[in-house]
Amino acid sequence: GQNIDQPTEMTATEGAIVQINCTYQTSGFNGLFWYQQHAGEAPTFLSYNVLDGLEEKGRFSSFLSRSKGYSYLLLKELQMKDSASYLCAVREGTGANNLFFGTGTRLTVIP
Amino acid sequence: GAVVSQHPSRVICKSGTSVKIECRSLDFQATTMFWYRQFPKKSLMLMATSNEGSKATYEQGVEKDKFLINHASLTLSTLTVTSAHPEDSSFYICSARGGGAGANVLTFGAGSRLTVL
């Protein structure tokens, strides 16, 4: 089974940096994903971590610590368009294709 | 890149009718697709795994006779909500793995918002 936990809501200022945390408890961990979802739209892929450490992609970075069951998504130079829900998802087992999602963090960027 | 098309994007139906939602992988073949359901302000809940040429695998608590899944080809999976009731109103999203997005990444369709009156 999975137990994926994220803060429900966060607010940050345009131009600032925000960190969204995700903790998980799962058996057979095989990767952690971050997706962005604007209201009423499909989730879009942001990042993927399977090994410990930091993955950087432009303004977005994601960190994973498997021993701690912990990940975070870091968003730099926040823009108004970054207001969205950010979903942490865990994949289990070898060969498994499906993802189990956390409740998502609704980020609001204010001027 | 990988593109998953979902249709219709919105559908309104009367209680007791059935509704079919299509999910297509446009530029890649997907032997496996996934159907998720999302309630307002909630995250995605996996409903079932759709396997090309075989029966779908349903998650615990999902009625297979209520949510019929057919994966007749490598690029098309359909979800039919049978005898829909107001409590079935939700946002349904399909996804597939592979294509230009890479083998590890799920690409999602744009979702279908079902409203049952």
Side-chain angles (χ1 to χ4, degrees):
Chain A
Q2 318 81 33
N3 186 8
I4 304 168
D5 192 36
Q6 308 176 234
T8 304
E9 295 189 6
M10 297 182 71
T11 301
T13 305
E14 189 177 15
I17 299 173
V18 69
Q19 177 174 314
I20 302 174
N21 297 324
C22 173
T23 58
Y24 63 89
Q25 293 177 317
T26 185
S27 56
F29 174 83
N30 191 24
L32 187 141
F33 297 75
W34 284 95
Y35 281 80
Q36 180 192 62
Q37 186 180 27
H38 287 97
E41 299 181 9
T44 55
F45 170 75
L46 290 178
S47 68
Y48 165 64
N49 295 69
V50 67
L51 299 176
D52 291 350
L54 187 68
E55 294 283 340
E56 297 186 77
K57 294 177 68 175
R59 294 192 299 117
F60 295 78
S61 303
S62 58
F63 172 82
L64 174 67
S65 170
R66 289 171 296 172
S67 62
K68 296 181 179 179
Y70 168 69
S71 173
Y72 67 71
L73 179 69
L74 193 70
L75 291 77
K76 304 176 185 176
E77 301 171 14
L78 280 174
Q79 302 175 10
M80 299 300 291
K81 66 178 182 179
D82 296 330
S83 293
S85 288
Y86 291 85
L87 311 178
C88 171
V90 172
R91 185 171 65 187
E92 286 191 337
T94 58
N97 301 331
N98 53 316
L99 299 181
F100 295 94
F101 285 82
T103 55
T105 299
R106 185 179 299 275
L107 173 66
T108 301
V109 180
I110 58 175
Chain B
V3 178
V4 174
S5 173
Q6 195 170 337
H7 178 80
S9 58
R10 292 178 181 272
V11 57
I12 301 173
C13 70
K14 294 182 179 180
S15 184
T17 60
S18 294
V19 174
K20 180 185 285 188
I21 301 170
E22 293 186 348
C23 179
R24 295 180 184 272
S25 55
L26 294 187
D27 49 1
F28 65 102
Q29 295 181 333
T31 56
T32 305
M33 293 184 177
F34 304 92
W35 287 95
Y36 289 84
R37 182 174 182 177
Q38 187 174 34
F39 293 100
K41 297 186 179 181
K42 300 292 184 182
S43 191
L44 300 166
M45 291 180 56
L46 179 66
M47 297 176 64
T49 301
S50 173
N51 304 299
E52 188 268 335
S54 64
K55 292 182 179 180
T57 305
Y58 290 83
E59 294 299 304
Q60 190 173 9
V62 178
E63 300 176 59
K64 62 180 181 180
D65 295 330
K66 174 75 169 177
F67 299 100
L68 299 179
I69 292 173
N70 184 277
H71 196 150
S73 76
L74 288 171
T75 59
L76 174 63
S77 174
T78 61
L79 168 67
T80 301
V81 183
T82 63
S83 187
H85 289 94
E87 58 264 30
D88 298 325
S89 298
S90 191
F91 194 51
Y92 294 89
I93 309 178
C94 70
S95 67
R97 187 174 66 101
N104 288 314
V105 177
L106 278 184
T107 300
F108 287 84
S112 300
R113 184 166 300 284
L114 171 63
T115 302
V116 184
L117 303 177

